[in-house]
Structure formats: structure tokens, C-alpha cells
Amino acid sequence: MGECYNRAVKLKELGEWRLIEEIDRLVGPLPDSVLIGIGDDAAAWGSLGLVQIATTDTLAQGVHFRLKDMSWQDLGWKALAISLSDIAAMGGIPDYALVALCLPGDKKVEDVMELYRGLLEMARIHRVGVVGGNITAFSSVIITVTVIGHLQGKVALTRDAAKPGDQIAVTGYLGTSAAGLRLLTSALAVDAETAALCKRAFRRPQPRVDEGQTLLDGGVMAAIDISDGLMSDLGHVCRRCQGGARIKLSRIPVHPRLKEAIGHQAEALALAGGEDYELLFTAPSAIIQGLENKVPFSIIGEVMSGPQGQVEVVDDAGKPVPWAKPGWEHFRS
Amino acid sequence: MGECYNRAVKLKELGEWRLIEEIDRLVGPLPDSVLIGIGDDAAAWGSLGLVQIATTDTLAQGVHFRLKDMSWQDLGWKALAISLSDIAAMGGIPDYALVALCLPGDKKVEDVMELYRGLLEMARIHRVGVVGGNITAFSSVIITVTVIGHLQGKVALTRDAAKPGDQIAVTGYLGTSAAGLRLLTSALAVDAETAALCKRAFRRPQPRVDEGQTLLDGGVMAAIDISDGLMSDLGHVCRRCQGGARIKLSRIPVHPRLKEAIGHQAEALALAGGEDYELLFTAPSAIIQGLENKVPFSIIGEVMSGPQGQVEVVDDAGKPVPWAKPGWEHFRS
């Protein structure tokens, strides 16, 4: 297979997702034991009757956070939470974590202890053993957490299992974390209680680990966690399943306080804000109905047979609603 | 348990190893399934009769490498090799790797492909499946590779298993990589062939994966890989086993070409240079003898009952030899 890029092309021109495709192509066939390789929320392999899953994710200073916006405890919590969210998006059970830290030498030891306290708080909630790691002196704070877990059975929730006709649903509320980030970095006029709610969503995301397992138990096959933003992550699902999607703007779950505080701005944040770490999943309506009272979710639309990779947002009359900003993608501005 | 540090102490004052001890203390008891937690080359846990091991390590631009000194292929090779070396130091068999990349957007896609080509070359040699990873846009190149593997049996080579009376041995030659780094960054007068040999040792370390398994099979219990430098890593072993060590300067294996080119300077590099990624192991002499013709190694000294954590270098008459620079330790200069 030949490469599909010009040799002089820069990362910011190709973008993150095309780069991952190129890497997947280059890596080529994996060992027979590998069930899910590059391109999903986590990798999965089977050994001796047990299917294991693993994922790695990074929080980098100046990219994902500024030290003035988050406590060290928040940082530790979030660094583990975002990897656990990838395990959740597979319907997996997390077991062990490894923590690779880059830290400037002039940071206090107490800062690192605080980081670990936040990380261990998250670890205890989901019964994860923090078994090892690495420490490197570096000019910025960078936290890479790898989580290894397993599946109860042999099947995982995957991005490519969505099928035309499936209903599209999401857990929880969207846009709250993005509102929190905007409150920290720019102007957004909201009351103090809503501000606290939004900042907390940004600093202390709650990975939907139990919910992911419940979805898998309930017969759901396709899921992704919403880290880049609803439009972007739903786009990934559509591209992987070679279908499209239509979602109703009024169905997208926005926290009532946020809606009240900023009106239509909340919808834009819910569509494209990112870092919600809620689960987006698709399934036939009978399966979705069976999940009621088990997981808090909202049905927001339907998987279409095409056009491939395209997500259409419509109003209650079915008319397309234009929307602007795409989700977060590394290397593109 | 109270903390053993002042709350205002900075990382560069405490140093990497004390910091790891503090983290280990804070993390506290691990799940019963965990056999080896924080502080050894890799973590190990047992599940359903299988003992798995995992480790994570980072290469950071400006700390471990400059882009002008290494090709992208070398970088990929080395990033995986240094994690495999940790697996080797446990006597483990590597299985899967996850690659977390931080990359500036103005790097070429082809650079990343080259990085992966080098990494995949190393992966094929040791039959490792590159199953996943993460990509973050960042101002520097940082590569964190996590490797998950397993043990043939239930026992691993550990740092704390050394016993007074054990012989101390190392695989291969020491100091070659450090000479390579000095050739790249400062003045060191050597002939072209020796220069090529040393630079290659720095750029393309060979993790002793097969050798680690052979040591374990042969009855060795204690090992560490030499990443920080012989004196520093032997010091870790001594502190963990609550003993000391005495090594003979003339027994330390230095490549004959390097010895010829730079004389006694080669010994200093072998003692404290770091990044050799050879295995340092200890065992009773009967076990060491049984390894001859199976693994290339040199006996360099003996584990002593004390003083704890102290490594003494002696000449052939048994007289102490003074030595200067300690091994590489993050956060200390």
C-alpha cells in the first residue's frame, strides 16, 4: 500500500485523524491475538480466554490546561479520568494505571503529591491500581496515563459498529466543560453557581465507566467518548461505519442552568465544545428502549446510510441548521 | 505514615529517587493481584494464572535528545528500545506497545512515518504488536512508550533480590553510548570507526530482552537495566537490598576500540555515563557460572552486607579508586 500524503506535507496540514490513518497503514497487520488495533478508543487483545484493553492519553500544559486554571489535584484527577473515559467507551473494566510525568525541577514536591492525591481519588472510585510510571525533568508539565483493563466478555463497544437506522444517544449533558474552559480563559457572563458547575465539569470530568459496561450488557455495539466535541466524535463514528448522521438540535442535552444563563450559545458549545467525556452510542431503538432507567441518556438523532462521514444538524421541522466551529483536532487551528 | 519532606521543597532539591519513594508511600497498598508496584523496572500483576508486566518510559526533546543528533527512525527505535529494556530487566517477554506522541504541528508527516518505521523495526525484532497510542500537538517532541508483556513463570528479576555474597555481573560493554553522546554534543577525539560505533550505541540501543529471559531461566533473581549509569543503577540495587557493593575498575567491560581511543576516560564513562541499556545482575557464583556460553557477561564485583547503598570502586590491589560524576538523575544537575 502506498502512502496517501505528499512527503513535504506538515502535520498541521494533514491533521490528526489522517495522520492516525497513515500510522495505522504503516503499522500493518497486528499479531493474531489483537482484536482491536489503532484507531478506536482503546486497543484490545485476547490472551488465555481473557480479553484485555489498554489506552494511553496525554494532558499537556499550554495545550490542555494552564496551571493557573486548575489545582494539581484537578490535574491528577483529569489525567486519569480521560484515559478511563476511553476504557468506558469500550465497555471495559479498568484495572491498572501507569503514570508518565514530565515535570519542571522548580515545581514543589507537594505539587506532585497533590497531583497524585487527585489521581488516586479517581483511581479509588473506579478501583484502579496505580502500579508504576516514569518521571522526566522537562520544562512543561505533561502527564501521560496508560490504563490497562479487561472486558467481561469478548466483545467491546467500537466506533465502527454503528448501522444505518440506529438511534444516536448520549449520556449526561454536553457543552458544560467547554463553558467552563471559556469561563477560565475568556469572557462568558453566567451566574456564580452555573460558573462553578461548568468549571467543575472542565476540571473534574466523570468518566462513564459503569455506564459503558451497562450499555454493553444491554446489547449496544457502537460507542465513542466525547472528547473532541459531539460533531467531531460523531463524525469519527460515521466515517468508521461508512454512514452519515442526522441529529436534532433541540434534542441535544444541555444543562438547564447553562441554557438559562447563555441561551443559544450553550447549543454551540454542546455541538462542538469538547471534553465532555460523556458516551455517544448508537443502537436499534429496541435496544435503546431497554436501557431506560439503567443509564441517563438522551436520544439525539439517527444513523443514516450516507453521505459518508457527514453529520447533519436539523431543527424540529427537519430543516438543516448551519453550525460553525468544528470539534477540537490536534494540529489544526 | 507522615511525609518525609518539607512542603516547600522543590523537585530539583529532593531528586528523582526520593520523589519516587514519596509517590510510592502516597499510593499505599495496591490490589492483591499486584506482585510488583512502584519502584522497580516494571510493574507486575497476576491474573488467571498469567503474570503480566508493564512499563512506561519517555524520550523528551532537549532532555534526552536533540533532533539534529538523531534521525526520526533512530528516535522511534530508541523510544521503544528503552521501554523494552525495562521489560528485559524483569526477565519478561514483551507483547504490546502503546505510543503517546507530543509533536509540533510544523513537523512533516514523513518525519512521523520515519519515527514509526524505526519503532516498528525494533518492534519486529522483539515481536511486539504496536496496538495503539495518542497524538497531542505540542511545542516539543516527546515520546512515551508503554509496553505490556508477561512472564514465562511467576517470578521476575527484581532490584531488591540481591544478597550479600552475590557476584555482580553486566552484559555487553559499558560507556559506549555515553561516548556517543559526547561525540554529538562536545569534543571527544576518536577515530571515525570508533565514533560510528559509539554514536550507534547512543542512537540504537539494543535491549537485552532474550538475555533477561535466559538469566531468569538460569536462576538469577536480581537485575536492573543500566539506564542512569553503572554507579547509579548499582546504587539503586544496593539501596533496595539494603546492602552495599564493591566493584573492580579493571573488570568493568569497556569496548576495546573505545579504550584504545580515549584510555581512562572510557572507564569514567563506563562507571557513570548511562544509557547503555545493558543488564546488571547479581547471583551466587554457582548460578553465574551456569550462565557462561549462554549470555555474554562480565563479573565486575560482589554484593556486600554494607554500608547500605554504597558502591565502592577498587583497583586490582583492592585499594579504593576515587570517582567523580554520579549517574544521571532527573531534577539534579
Side-chain angles (χ1 to χ4, degrees):
Chain A
M1 271 184 300
E3 288 95 1
C4 298
Y5 62 93
N6 180 299
R7 296 195 144 230
V9 165
K10 294 185 171 176
L11 296 182
K12 61 185 170 192
E13 292 158 354
L14 194 71
E16 183 184 3
W17 298 106
R18 283 284 314 283
L19 178 61
I20 291 170
E21 283 170 18
E22 291 298 334
I23 290 172
D24 188 22
R25 190 198 308 271
L26 185 68
V27 168
L30 286 163
D32 288 345
S33 58
V34 177
L35 304 170
I36 299 168
I38 291 165
D40 216 303
D41 295 290
W45 62 81
S47 63
L48 302 183
L50 175 77
V51 177
Q52 291 193 300
I53 53 179
T55 186
T56 191
D57 211 341
T58 296
L59 278 188
Q61 186 179 356
V63 177
H64 303 99
F65 66 90
R66 301 182 304 185
L67 287 175
K68 65 176 173 176
D69 296 331
M70 297 179 71
S71 72
W72 287 91
Q73 282 207 20
D74 291 337
L75 264 184
W77 169 292
K78 188 165 179 174
L80 179 55
I82 64 176
S83 282
L84 290 178
S85 181
D86 283 326
I87 297 288
M90 309 296 280
I93 300 156
D95 295 312
Y96 307 106
L98 298 165
V99 181
L101 297 174
C102 289
L103 293 166
D106 64 355
K107 295 300 170 205
K108 285 182 294 192
V109 175
E110 182 60 16
D111 297 336
V112 183
M113 294 298 111
E114 283 289 286
L115 184 153
Y116 261 89
R117 286 189 193 105
L119 190 143
L120 290 168
E121 207 183 322
M122 172 92 303
R124 278 182 210 111
I125 292 171
H126 296 289
R127 294 170 298 282
V128 173
V130 179
V131 290
N134 184 68
I135 300 171
T136 296
F138 189 71
S139 51
S140 299
V141 177
I142 299 174
I143 314 164
T144 297
V145 177
T146 301
V147 174
I148 298 145
H150 69 282
L151 292 173
Q152 200 65 263
K154 283 187 168 288
V155 183
L157 298 170
T158 57
R159 297 180 178 187
D160 58 7
K163 293 208 163 32
D166 275 5
Q167 290 190 316
I168 300 168
V170 293
T171 60
Y173 295 114
L174 302 183
T176 326
S177 170
L181 176 61
R182 269 151 196 78
L183 281 161
L184 292 166
T185 57
S186 57
L188 194 68
V190 306
D191 60 287
E193 215 171 310
T194 307
L197 171 92
C198 294
K199 286 180 191 170
R200 191 172 170 84
F202 173 75
R203 291 168 173 154
R204 297 237 168 183
Q206 299 282 353
R208 296 293 195 174
V209 178
D210 293 342
E211 292 82 350
Q213 292 164 39
T214 305
L215 296 182
L216 193 54
D217 284 348
V220 174
M221 303 285 284
I224 189 171
D225 70 321
I226 302 179
S227 51
D228 299 330
L230 172 61
M231 293 300 287
S232 180
D233 289 313
L234 182 52
H236 297 326
V237 169
C238 290
R239 272 190 299 282
R240 290 292 294 267
C241 80
Q242 310 197 332
R246 181 179 294 151
I247 57 176
K248 235 179 218 175
L249 188 59
S250 63
R251 296 286 192 88
I252 296 167
V254 174
H255 195 286
R257 290 199 70 94
L258 186 63
K259 180 79 191 221
E260 197 186 332
I262 62 170
H264 287 306
Q265 272 191 77
E267 288 166 356
L269 294 176
L271 279 172
E275 298 215 86
D276 295 305
Y277 299 104
E278 295 293 345
L279 296 180
L280 168 74
F281 58 100
T282 86
S285 60
I287 285 176
I288 300 265
Q289 275 167 30
L291 293 166
E292 275 180 36
N293 304 320
K294 292 182 186 163
V295 175
F297 68 88
S298 310
I299 298 167
I300 62 168
E302 195 177 318
V303 180
M304 315 296 283
S305 55
Q308 202 201 313
Q310 199 171 302
V311 180
E312 194 179 38
V313 186
V314 299
D315 64 16
D316 286 347
K319 276 192 10 197
V321 177
W323 67 282
K325 186 181 160 292
W328 174 260
E329 186 181 4
H330 282 286
F331 305 120
R332 288 184 191 265
S333 48
Chain B
M1 267 182 302
E3 288 94 3
C4 299
Y5 62 94
N6 180 300
R7 295 194 144 230
V9 165
K10 294 185 170 177
L11 296 181
K12 62 186 171 192
E13 292 159 352
L14 194 72
E16 183 183 4
W17 298 107
R18 282 285 313 283
L19 179 60
I20 291 171
E21 282 170 18
E22 291 299 333
I23 290 171
D24 187 22
R25 189 197 309 270
L26 186 68
V27 168
L30 285 162
D32 288 345
S33 58
V34 176
L35 304 170
I36 299 168
I38 291 164
D40 216 302
D41 295 291
W45 61 82
S47 62
L48 301 183
L50 175 77
V51 177
Q52 291 194 299
I53 52 179
T55 186
T56 190
D57 211 342
T58 296
L59 278 187
Q61 187 179 357
V63 177
H64 303 99
F65 67 89
R66 301 182 302 186
L67 287 174
K68 65 177 174 176
D69 296 331
M70 295 178 73
S71 72
W72 286 91
Q73 281 208 19
D74 292 337
L75 265 185
W77 169 292
K78 188 165 180 174
L80 178 54
I82 64 175
S83 281
L84 289 179
S85 181
D86 282 326
I87 297 289
M90 308 295 281
I93 300 157
D95 294 312
Y96 307 105
L98 297 165
V99 182
L101 297 174
C102 289
L103 294 166
D106 64 355
K107 296 298 170 206
K108 286 182 294 191
V109 176
E110 182 59 16
D111 297 336
V112 183
M113 295 297 113
E114 283 288 287
L115 184 154
Y116 261 90
R117 285 188 193 106
L119 190 144
L120 290 168
E121 205 183 323
M122 173 92 301
R124 277 182 210 110
I125 292 172
H126 295 289
R127 291 170 300 284
V128 173
V130 180
V131 292
N134 184 67
I135 300 172
T136 296
F138 189 72
S139 51
S140 299
V141 178
I142 299 174
I143 315 164
T144 297
V145 177
T146 302
V147 173
I148 298 145
H150 70 280
L151 292 173
Q152 200 66 262
K154 283 189 166 286
V155 183
L157 299 170
T158 57
R159 297 180 178 188
D160 58 7
K163 293 206 164 32
D166 275 4
Q167 290 189 317
I168 300 168
V170 293
T171 60
Y173 296 115
L174 302 184
T176 326
S177 170
L181 176 61
R182 270 150 196 78
L183 281 160
L184 293 167
T185 57
S186 56
L188 193 69
V190 307
D191 59 287
E193 213 170 311
T194 306
L197 170 91
C198 295
K199 287 180 191 169
R200 189 171 171 82
F202 174 74
R203 291 168 173 153
R204 296 238 168 186
Q206 299 283 352
R208 297 293 197 174
V209 178
D210 293 342
E211 291 83 349
Q213 292 164 39
T214 306
L215 296 182
L216 193 54
D217 285 347
V220 175
M221 302 284 284
I224 190 172
D225 70 321
I226 302 178
S227 52
D228 299 329
L230 172 61
M231 293 300 286
S232 180
D233 289 313
L234 182 51
H236 297 325
V237 170
C238 290
R239 270 189 300 281
R240 290 293 295 266
C241 79
Q242 309 198 330
R246 180 180 293 153
I247 57 175
K248 233 178 217 178
L249 188 60
S250 64
R251 295 285 192 88
I252 296 167
V254 174
H255 195 286
R257 290 199 69 95
L258 185 64
K259 179 81 190 221
E260 198 186 333
I262 62 169
H264 286 306
Q265 271 190 79
E267 288 166 358
L269 294 177
L271 279 173
E275 297 216 87
D276 294 305
Y277 299 104
E278 296 293 346
L279 296 180
L280 168 74
F281 58 100
T282 86
S285 60
I287 284 175
I288 300 265
Q289 276 168 31
L291 294 166
E292 275 180 35
N293 304 319
K294 291 182 186 164
V295 175
F297 68 89
S298 311
I299 298 167
I300 62 169
E302 195 176 319
V303 179
M304 315 296 283
S305 55
Q308 201 201 315
Q310 198 171 303
V311 180
E312 191 179 42
V313 186
V314 299
D315 64 17
D316 287 347
K319 273 189 16 191
V321 177
W323 67 281
K325 186 181 159 294
W328 174 260
E329 186 181 3
H330 283 285
F331 306 119
R332 287 185 191 263
S333 48

